[in-house]
Amino acid sequence: MYRKLLKLLHEVGAVGVMGALAAYLVLVATAPQDSLVEYAAVRRGISALTQWLLLPSLVVVLISGLLAIAATRAYMDQGWPWLKALSTVAMFEGTLLTVNASARKAAELSAAAASAGEASPELLAPILRTEWIGLWTILALSFGNIVVAVWRPRLRRRQA
């Protein structure tokens, strides 16, 4: 029973992660560039999306995946669950350090620009570049985790 619950939590968390990343990409790509106030509002929405959907979903995926490995003896002897665990930890760190931090910083800068009435593209450019690289990297790792879960390559842990 608990294994099915862990699997359900893991899959629902993965849906949350992928959905949040897709929504994030759509919002970034379609953010209005001609109005500072509208752009700042979109950036606030992106920041909220990472805080309330992306990060919690990623935590659910990480914890449920690790608990599933601990609860299933067969997973402990296979390499693919450990590969997924390592890449999920990398996703979590990357999301915290690049995606979430970039979203928060871009929201702050765009709000300041909207209240001042003038934008400074030089300040936002490196943040947006880091954001795009981080988003696509996390999305690729997430997709790779799904491929590994479906394909389940025969990676064996070395026996002592």
Side-chain angles (χ1 to χ4, degrees):
M1 173 66 178
Y2 59 89
R3 288 182 189 166
K4 289 189 186 244
L5 178 63
L6 288 173
K7 183 176 181 174
L8 176 69
L9 285 173
H10 194 70
E11 290 176 2
V12 168
V15 168
V17 168
M18 295 293 284
L21 289 172
Y24 194 128
L25 283 170
V26 168
L27 288 172
V28 167
T30 62
Q33 302 294 321
D34 52 345
S35 168
L36 288 174
V37 175
E38 289 177 9
Y39 185 76
V42 170
R43 295 309 309 193
R44 259 192 329 273
I46 290 171
S47 183
L49 181 70
T50 62
Q51 181 181 358
W52 296 104
L53 183 60
L54 181 59
L55 288 175
S57 296
L58 201 48
V59 168
V60 168
V61 168
L62 182 60
I63 292 173
S64 63
L66 291 173
L67 289 174
I69 291 172
T72 309
R73 179 72 182 145
Y75 286 172
M76 288 184 200
D77 296 331
Q78 296 294 318
W80 67 268
W82 295 105
L83 177 64
K84 280 186 53 143
L86 284 173
S87 64
T88 303
V89 168
M91 282 176 54
F92 187 71
E93 289 179 12
T95 300
L96 280 176
L97 296 175
T98 60
V99 176
N100 186 48
S102 296
R104 205 171 48 240
K105 188 68 174 170
E108 291 170 4
L109 287 176
S110 62
S115 65
E118 60 183 59
S120 179
E122 302 84 35
L123 291 176
L124 214 51
I127 295 169
L128 296 178
R129 185 174 36 83
T130 302
E131 179 181 58
W132 273 103
I133 292 169
L135 273 173
W136 284 108
T137 302
I138 300 303
L139 195 59
L141 283 170
S142 184
F143 182 74
N145 270 350
I146 292 169
V147 168
V148 169
V150 170
W151 179 41
R152 295 185 176 190
R154 298 203 185 277
L155 305 172
R156 296 267 184 206
R157 289 182 49 204
R158 292 183 186 187
Q159 299 297 326

